Amino acid sequence: MAYAENNSDTLETVSTGRVEDYFALLKPRVMSLVVFTGFVGLLVAPGGVHPVIGFVAILCIAIGAGASGALNMWYDADIDRVMSRTMNRPIPSGRIAPGEALGFGMTLSVFSVAILGLATNWLAAGLLAFTIFFYAVVYTMWLKRSTSQNIVIGGAAGAFPPMIGWAAVTGSVSLDALILFMIIFLWTPPHFWALALYKKGDYEAAGIPMLPNVAGERVTQNQIVIYTVLLTITGFGPVLTGLVGWFYAIPAAVLGVVFSVLAVRLRFSQGAEMKRRARVVFTYSLSYLFVLFVALLADVGLIRWFGGVS
Amino acid sequence: MTNDNKVLTEQEQDFIKRRRRRSIAIAVVLAALVVIFYAITVVKLGPEIMVRDL
């Protein structure tokens, strides 16, 4: 048996990673949010889509997002090694070689874009390709390490999925798709800056210019308030365009007001209390986006199947 | 084959186990791709799939 003759050195020429390690390269937690928002974009788009094509579209968006996660981990292995939050990722912990992650990410990128294009249309595929490029190259390689506005602009990558879902169904991008994009785009800064406020030391150790490290906590707190208020206002966009009615508007108002109150309370706190409240804002922001999109879906469902309640 | 009876080290056994699970995962993905392409073809072409100029 050939493998019995191998010593541990030659074993290293083949991958030593577990299946779970490859799965971890896809950033499954980010992926779950992408799947969810992409799914909502797909379902609220007018016209509808065959369930099989819809499933394939969501799968491609998920794999494409996962691929950009793998490319991100390939490039960021050096700084991931330094931060407590990321030091157990497959590459820094030595379970997967950097080259493997690069090949894995590139392969999945090409396949997800090609299959999405063949199954739906090339506008959706082009948007997916641009999203992967934007996250892996524009955000990871360029902005993340060079500007404190990194996650503001990089947030665009996370905002594309509902637009891709929309484009997969309609073959076009409308104002509604743009509003869904804007909601996630404006949501990203308060979400990540809250994280950066209580993980400040980590980012400092890794030399990443997050806003709290570069501009200070006060500036970050102010910015969180500004973006949260803008987000709350933009949250009403789908009501103004007539995509949804009151069944969405009421939860959107409540969610937005609560988010704004939490952001203002964070603004007027400091020290350990500030870190605690930053953690609350971070956790709440996840529920905010989830519930808002559920409300969007529920309202569109009501309009479509029961003629609406508004 | 004098090495046939060599007892594998724990590390080698672990490596083989991982490789086996990776191979299974790749097989599952390939099978899923076959199903997906088949399903897309049927959905996109529908009954037209039988209409072709020979």
Side-chain angles (χ1 to χ4, degrees):
Chain A
M1 303 284 275
Y3 52 69
E5 293 169 42
N6 286 342
N7 56 35
S8 57
D9 289 337
T10 50
L11 288 181
E12 300 301 325
T13 58
V14 188
S15 171
T16 56
R18 293 172 301 160
V19 174
E20 293 88 335
D21 295 326
Y22 284 93
F23 189 65
L25 281 180
L26 302 176
K27 296 197 175 183
R29 285 172 66 189
V30 175
M31 203 198 248
S32 64
L33 200 64
V34 164
V35 166
F36 176 66
T37 57
F39 187 61
V40 171
L42 188 101
L43 286 182
V44 301
V49 66
H50 190 285
V52 170
I53 301 297
F55 170 79
V56 171
I58 295 301
L59 188 68
C60 288
I61 296 171
I63 298 298
S68 59
L71 294 172
N72 167 272
M73 287 200 210
W74 161 70
Y75 192 82
D76 272 353
D78 59 334
I79 48 179
D80 282 352
R81 206 163 276 134
V82 188
M83 296 200 289
S84 64
R85 189 170 65 87
T86 53
M87 61 202 300
N88 285 322
R89 283 178 175 177
I91 302 174
S93 65
R95 295 194 301 274
I96 285 188
E100 286 179 77
L102 175 62
F104 188 60
M106 288 304 291
T107 308
L108 293 184
S109 300
V110 170
F111 268 78
S112 59
V113 170
I115 295 176
L116 184 63
L118 292 168
T120 63
N121 57 71
W122 293 100
L123 174 68
L127 285 172
L128 182 62
F130 183 73
T131 304
I132 297 170
F133 167 79
F134 201 85
Y135 186 73
V137 178
V138 177
Y139 170 69
T140 303
M141 296 184 190
W142 178 33
L143 296 171
K144 185 174 179 180
R145 300 176 194 223
S146 64
T147 164
S148 62
Q149 293 298 308
N150 48 12
I151 50 115
V152 178
I153 307 162
F160 272 114
M163 191 186 259
I164 302 171
W166 185 287
V169 174
T170 63
S172 63
V173 174
S174 68
L175 181 62
D176 282 316
L178 200 67
I179 289 169
L180 296 184
F181 173 93
M182 282 308 294
I183 288 174
I184 302 177
F185 183 75
L186 292 171
W187 167 88
T188 310
H191 173 74
F192 278 111
W193 281 337
L195 175 77
L197 275 176
Y198 70 84
K199 291 274 187 186
K200 194 178 163 195
D202 263 16
Y203 287 106
E204 203 159 305
I208 302 175
M210 292 300 277
L211 196 61
N213 307 88
V214 176
E217 290 172 358
R218 187 40 42 97
V219 172
T220 309
Q221 288 165 312
N222 288 337
Q223 293 284 323
I224 288 177
V225 171
I226 294 168
Y227 276 97
T228 306
V229 171
L230 286 176
L231 171 64
T232 302
I233 297 166
T234 311
F236 286 100
V239 182
L240 299 178
T241 60
L243 179 67
V244 287
W246 289 109
F247 198 77
Y248 164 88
I250 292 166
V254 174
L255 284 164
V257 168
V258 172
F259 202 169
S260 304
V261 168
L262 290 175
V264 170
R265 282 169 57 103
L266 171 64
R267 163 67 181 77
F268 292 105
S269 62
Q270 47 192 318
E273 177 70 3
M274 187 274 293
K275 293 211 169 185
R276 194 186 62 78
R277 285 183 176 170
R279 208 178 270 268
V280 170
V281 168
F282 177 76
T283 313
Y284 177 82
S285 64
L286 281 166
S287 326
Y288 172 90
L289 198 65
F290 180 75
V291 178
L292 191 79
F293 272 69
V294 166
L296 195 72
L297 198 55
D299 196 316
V300 170
L302 279 173
I303 291 171
R304 236 173 250 179
W305 291 305
F306 304 107
V309 288
S310 358
Chain B
M1 297 293 276
T2 50
N3 279 334
D4 266 0
N5 295 326
K6 182 184 168 188
V7 178
L8 299 179
T9 65
E10 209 165 281
Q11 194 196 3
E12 285 167 334
Q13 282 176 338
D14 189 44
F15 170 79
I16 290 161
K17 214 167 83 187
R18 287 178 184 195
R19 186 174 60 185
R20 183 169 180 77
R21 291 198 58 222
R22 285 201 307 274
S23 304
I24 292 170
I26 293 170
V28 169
V29 169
L30 288 176
L33 276 177
V34 170
V35 174
I36 286 170
F37 279 122
Y38 179 73
I40 294 173
T41 308
V42 171
V43 168
K44 283 188 89 89
L45 295 182
E48 305 284 313
I49 201 167
M50 301 304 287
V51 181
R52 48 185 184 155
D53 300 322
L54 293 173

